[in-house]
Amino acid sequence: TGTVYIRANGQVDPVTAPITVVDNKTYVFIGDITGSLIVERDSIIVDGAGHIIEGTDKGINLNKNYVEIKNLVVKGFRYGIHLYTDNNIIHDNTVLNCQYGIYLSTNSETNKVFRNKVNGNNYGIFIDGVDNRIYGNIIKSNNYAIRVFGDDAKIFANFIEDNQYGLYLDQYSGNTHVYHNAFLSNNYQISGDYRLAKYDDVYPSGGNFWDGYAGVDADGDGIGDIPYSIGSSVQDGYPLIAPLYLCYAGTWEGVDYYVE
């Protein structure tokens, strides 16, 4: 209970915290934590092993680069997972009932957020940094599923369901690329300054699945024959006829590969 640190020298502080260190690089939870975790060391793995971290202010406070956060249940914080830094990987976590579920701040760039379950938050994923990748997540029953404030975000292959706002683009965001997502039963699928995004990956890759799409696929290529209208003069030119599922196929020479 309280604040737990992974110090720059690799030590866990306090030593009584339920985290064990494997191979001097991987920090594995062996129990739940009521409080916060502050990461002060680069190039490590934090494996929640299915355990819960629960509290009020900031759950995971990430101040270093090249950190992997996985297999945690994060509950009840103002900021569930808060990133200030670059080249981090956030995956296979469950983030519940936070004001900001996963928050990528102004200084956070080139991070990857994938295969997380983000449910029941005010902001599911809030992107304020540049060139971040959000993919393969299930984002459900939030007020805002994804809100974009930064530039060059790439948002693909997410299930965005039963939210008040599926995707909200602030006026300062730019060059957002949105494709292969499934937009399902959101009160507002796309809101804000929607002109600042591109909503398809051209043919034959396709765009997004929209549950309100009324077009047909006469030629059977899996892409609707007429565009889906986002708003005035903005459209998904290649709407998908059915949702796609994302399967991570591995990393080779630093490049991630997926099957959809």
Side-chain angles (χ1 to χ4, degrees):
T1 298
T3 301
V4 177
Y5 296 85
I6 297 176
R7 298 293 190 183
N9 64 4
Q11 297 297 311
V12 177
D13 179 14
V15 295
T16 55
I19 297 177
T20 187
V21 186
V22 180
D23 64 25
N24 197 35
K25 177 181 178 181
T26 303
Y27 293 77
V28 181
F29 276 52
I30 55 174
D32 298 339
I33 289 178
T34 301
S36 299
L37 175 65
I38 299 178
V39 179
E40 298 178 343
R41 185 183 180 194
D42 287 315
S43 305
I44 63 169
I45 298 169
V46 177
D47 185 351
H51 288 288
I52 298 170
I53 182 167
E54 186 171 7
T56 57
D57 187 20
K58 293 179 182 179
I60 308 295
N61 199 5
L62 195 51
N63 299 320
K64 294 297 181 178
N65 303 313
Y66 299 101
V67 174
E68 180 178 352
I69 306 288
K70 64 180 182 179
N71 301 328
L72 266 171
V73 178
V74 182
K75 297 174 61 177
F77 292 96
R78 177 169 172 79
Y79 298 93
I81 301 176
H82 194 293
L83 280 70
Y84 295 94
T85 49
D86 308 332
N87 297 299
N88 302 292
I89 301 174
I90 310 299
H91 70 96
D92 294 292
N93 303 285
T94 298
V95 184
L96 305 167
N97 303 328
C98 297
Q99 176 71 9
Y100 297 85
I102 300 174
Y103 185 93
L104 290 80
S105 72
T106 305
N107 298 320
S108 60
E109 300 182 5
T110 59
N111 297 288
K112 297 177 181 178
V113 178
F114 63 95
R115 286 202 313 260
N116 301 283
K117 294 179 180 179
V118 184
N119 300 333
N121 306 281
N122 185 29
Y123 297 97
I125 300 175
F126 192 104
I127 308 167
D128 199 5
V130 176
D131 195 27
N132 292 292
R133 302 289 181 263
I134 312 296
Y135 54 94
N137 302 283
I138 298 173
I139 311 170
K140 187 173 182 178
S141 301
N142 304 276
N143 189 19
Y144 295 84
I146 302 176
R147 186 161 182 169
V148 183
F149 207 85
D151 295 330
D152 300 314
K154 193 172 184 179
I155 299 167
F156 63 98
N158 301 284
F159 269 69
I160 302 171
E161 183 176 5
D162 288 333
N163 303 280
Q164 178 71 7
Y165 299 93
L167 174 65
Y168 191 99
L169 294 151
D170 282 282
Q171 61 179 322
Y172 301 107
S173 63
N175 197 33
T176 304
H177 195 183
V178 182
Y179 65 96
H180 293 184
N181 302 284
F183 288 90
L184 305 165
S185 301
N186 303 289
N187 286 342
Y188 301 93
Q189 305 279 42
I190 307 293
S191 299
D193 204 339
Y194 57 85
R195 295 175 181 85
L196 297 174
K198 179 183 178 182
Y199 296 96
D200 62 61
D201 198 36
V202 303
Y203 190 85
S205 178
N208 303 276
F209 176 76
W210 309 89
D211 62 0
Y213 179 65
V216 298
D217 177 21
D219 58 5
D221 63 355
I223 293 174
D225 296 336
I226 59 173
Y228 175 83
S229 177
I230 308 294
S232 177
S233 72
V234 178
Q235 62 186 22
D236 178 346
Y238 305 95
L240 302 177
I241 289 297
L244 291 176
Y245 291 86
L246 185 74
C247 175
Y248 173 63
T251 301
W252 180 258
E253 295 184 347
V255 178
D256 295 334
Y257 292 92
Y258 302 89
V259 176
E260 293 179 296

